[in-house]
Amino acid sequence: MEINYIPEAVIRRLPGYYRYLERLEKAGEVRISSAKMSQDLGLNASQIRRDLNYFGGFGQQGYGYSVEGLKGEIAHILGLDRRYNAVIMGAGNIGRALMGYNRFASMGFDIVGVFDNNLQKIDGSGVQNVSRLLELAEVMDIQIGMICTSPCSAQETADLLVNIGVKGIWNFTSVSLDVPEDIPVQNVNLNDSLFELCFRMNNLNAKITESETI
Amino acid sequence: MEINYIPEAVIRRLPGYYRYLERLEKAGEVRISSAKMSQDLGLNASQIRRDLNYFGGFGQQGYGYSVEGLKGEIAHILGLDRRYNAVIMGAGNIGRALMGYNRFASMGFDIVGVFDNNLQKIDGSGVQNVSRLLELAEVMDIQIGMICTSPCSAQETADLLVNIGVKGIWNFTSVSLDVPEDIPVQNVNLNDSLFELCFRMNNLNAKITESETI
DNA sequence: TAGATTGTTAATCGATTAACAATC
DNA sequence: TAGATTGTTAATCGATTAACAATC
């Protein structure tokens, strides 16, 4: 028996590995070494091997990793070898962008409904009144809720999603949501991302500077 | 003289501090202690004080920090005390969502153009042909390029933005852009974010598990 | 002054990397 | 077998936290 904790830093790198392996597979590559991955991804080769070994020994000494095999393993680790039903909450700018994104289905995510509380947005485009979410939830298992509402509706929307039994929340508002701890919330904060860009634009020379020591 | 390197982890927390202080200020709070910030933000109080002290001694012993003063300092650190001209490249789902976001201006970002190479998207909505970017760049200093194109146009769009002299790139494609090292690229990878959510949905009990030691 | 809270040091914790034995 | 490359250990590096002297 040993402790099998996955470091946060490793979790954040997993999608990148997956994306890279998909690209290799499309390019027809059959095998890949940690040294080549290191070059292409800009990560240390030891780190890559160590990351993968948190989940299992997927490689073969003297050979490397099978592209197809490793991609499959990572898909399984991420849970991408199954399908998810998802609802989009809020049909504003972001909600409609997600609605229009036509690659969700091929990645395993079925958008089974888009809801808003603003009657003006409930036109012919398939957006429904939020009050109809309960009906849908009765006939369909909804695993993911994507929150794209205004900040002031974010928490009540999260509560509603928890009530209908979603297993995870993708949160595009900057509100820090209060949900049971067994329901992961993945935050996408575009403002924060833009601010971080600004910081880097303004502090290029600040990595090493002189400063007075009193 | 001392080395004044800002850790990546600190940089990532800065926008969160800023957002928090804005909220406090709106709520009419005048002073704030690291202990209260710790509670509200779920960060260690020592860490908060240490983070802020990379940039200066903004607090006062026995008192704490002035909400207005600290917010101003962080705004300055992030470069939010000035304005930026930005262009949106690509009028697909994400590009149009950014176009419709009406809070950029109040945060200091003026969207001075939206460009696409698909003539169908150049309708009455203000989207221009990408060939007209050069004209605009001649009469206007464009600091930020937001890339929302298809993956296959991402690198050439980045090259174009570098040519017209942008100082930073906000990249919504999953393409790893090759640009001069003095131009920061901030990546927003929504697929990666969704995959990370999936991982957490599927590995809630995996933090500590039994595993065979051979 | 007494109480409160910062700024900063030292200790701890976690993540990265180099090195190499294991092995395909 | 010889060469290549993994899996894993030990060393290093960086980030977090506890503790407390400084000081408002």
Side-chain angles (χ1 to χ4, degrees):
Chain A
M1 190 174 95
E2 64 184 37
I3 290 171
N4 193 8
Y5 166 83
I6 310 297
E8 285 297 308
V10 174
I11 297 172
R12 278 197 299 268
R13 282 189 290 269
L14 289 174
Y17 292 139
Y18 183 73
R19 185 153 36 85
Y20 174 69
L21 289 161
E22 269 195 319
R23 187 151 61 82
L24 286 185
E25 196 182 42
K26 262 179 207 147
E29 302 289 336
V30 171
R31 59 178 275 202
I32 184 74
S33 68
S34 61
K36 181 64 165 45
M37 290 180 79
S38 170
Q39 275 188 346
D40 293 344
L41 294 171
L43 300 172
N44 181 288
S46 290
Q47 183 174 61
I48 294 169
R49 293 198 299 278
R50 206 179 210 292
D51 282 359
L52 298 175
N53 275 80
Y54 278 102
F55 303 98
F58 304 135
Q60 206 166 82
Q61 280 98 331
Y63 177 84
Y65 301 85
S66 146
V67 170
E68 191 191 350
L70 186 56
K71 189 197 135 202
E73 294 287 357
I74 297 181
H76 180 69
I77 291 163
L78 290 171
L80 300 179
D81 54 353
R82 47 162 293 197
R83 300 196 69 81
Y84 300 85
N85 288 325
V87 287
I88 295 170
M89 306 301 291
N93 290 308
I94 296 286
R96 286 198 309 273
L98 295 181
M99 232 177 130
Y101 185 60
N102 54 27
R103 288 189 184 81
F104 278 130
S106 69
M107 298 191 305
F109 302 89
D110 295 305
I111 306 297
V112 297
V114 182
F115 298 89
D116 205 296
N117 57 9
N118 181 339
L119 297 177
Q120 294 189 334
K121 288 184 182 147
I122 303 160
D123 45 17
S125 64
V127 179
Q128 298 179 72
N129 192 302
V130 67
S131 63
R132 299 195 56 198
L133 175 58
L134 284 168
E135 295 170 40
L136 180 71
E138 268 171 29
V139 296
M140 199 168 236
D141 223 26
I142 300 167
Q143 285 93 23
I144 297 178
M146 304 175 173
I147 303 186
C148 314
T149 64
S150 66
C152 61
S153 306
Q155 182 60 54
E156 60 177 305
T157 302
D159 294 342
L160 177 59
L161 290 169
V162 169
N163 272 330
I164 67 163
V166 300
K167 297 287 178 290
I169 291 177
W170 205 19
N171 177 30
F172 285 81
T173 76
S174 57
V175 176
S176 180
L177 300 175
D178 185 19
V179 299
E181 66 173 11
D182 61 336
I183 300 183
V185 174
Q186 184 76 21
N187 294 303
V188 178
N189 199 317
L190 297 183
N191 285 352
D192 283 9
S193 173
L194 182 57
F195 292 172
E196 204 179 313
L197 174 63
C198 281
F199 176 84
R200 294 181 200 278
M201 287 168 65
N202 287 288
N203 293 274
L204 285 178
N205 308 315
K207 290 237 154 169
I208 297 171
T209 57
E210 279 187 39
S211 75
E212 295 279 322
T213 306
I214 301 163
Chain B
M1 190 175 94
E2 63 184 38
I3 290 171
N4 193 7
Y5 166 82
I6 310 296
E8 285 297 308
V10 174
I11 297 173
R12 278 197 298 267
R13 283 189 290 269
L14 288 174
Y17 292 140
Y18 183 72
R19 187 152 34 86
Y20 174 68
L21 288 161
E22 269 194 319
R23 187 151 62 81
L24 286 184
E25 197 183 41
K26 262 180 206 144
E29 302 289 337
V30 171
R31 58 178 274 202
I32 185 72
S33 69
S34 61
K36 181 66 165 44
M37 290 180 78
S38 170
Q39 277 189 345
D40 293 343
L41 294 171
L43 299 173
N44 181 288
S46 291
Q47 183 174 59
I48 294 170
R49 294 198 300 278
R50 206 179 210 292
D51 283 358
L52 298 175
N53 274 80
Y54 278 102
F55 304 98
F58 304 136
Q60 206 167 82
Q61 280 98 332
Y63 177 85
Y65 301 85
S66 146
V67 169
E68 191 191 350
L70 187 56
K71 189 197 137 205
E73 294 287 358
I74 297 182
H76 180 69
I77 290 163
L78 289 171
L80 300 179
D81 54 352
R82 46 161 295 196
R83 300 196 70 82
Y84 299 86
N85 288 325
V87 287
I88 295 170
M89 306 301 290
N93 290 308
I94 297 286
R96 286 199 308 274
L98 294 180
M99 233 177 129
Y101 186 61
N102 55 26
R103 287 190 184 79
F104 278 131
S106 70
M107 299 192 304
F109 302 89
D110 296 305
I111 307 296
V112 297
V114 183
F115 299 89
D116 205 296
N117 58 10
N118 181 340
L119 298 177
Q120 294 188 336
K121 287 182 182 148
I122 303 160
D123 45 18
S125 63
V127 179
Q128 299 179 72
N129 192 302
V130 68
S131 62
R132 299 194 58 198
L133 175 58
L134 284 167
E135 293 170 42
L136 180 71
E138 268 171 29
V139 296
M140 199 168 235
D141 224 23
I142 300 167
Q143 286 92 23
I144 296 177
M146 304 175 173
I147 303 185
C148 313
T149 65
S150 65
C152 62
S153 305
Q155 182 60 54
E156 60 178 304
T157 303
D159 294 342
L160 178 59
L161 290 169
V162 169
N163 271 330
I164 67 163
V166 298
K167 297 287 179 289
I169 292 177
W170 204 18
N171 177 30
F172 285 82
T173 76
S174 58
V175 176
S176 180
L177 300 174
D178 185 20
V179 299
E181 66 173 11
D182 61 335
I183 300 183
V185 174
Q186 184 76 22
N187 294 304
V188 178
N189 199 319
L190 297 182
N191 285 353
D192 284 9
S193 174
L194 183 56
F195 292 172
E196 204 179 311
L197 174 63
C198 281
F199 176 83
R200 294 182 200 279
M201 287 168 65
N202 287 289
N203 294 274
L204 286 177
N205 308 316
K207 290 238 156 172
I208 297 170
T209 56
E210 279 187 38
S211 74
E212 295 278 323
T213 306
I214 302 163

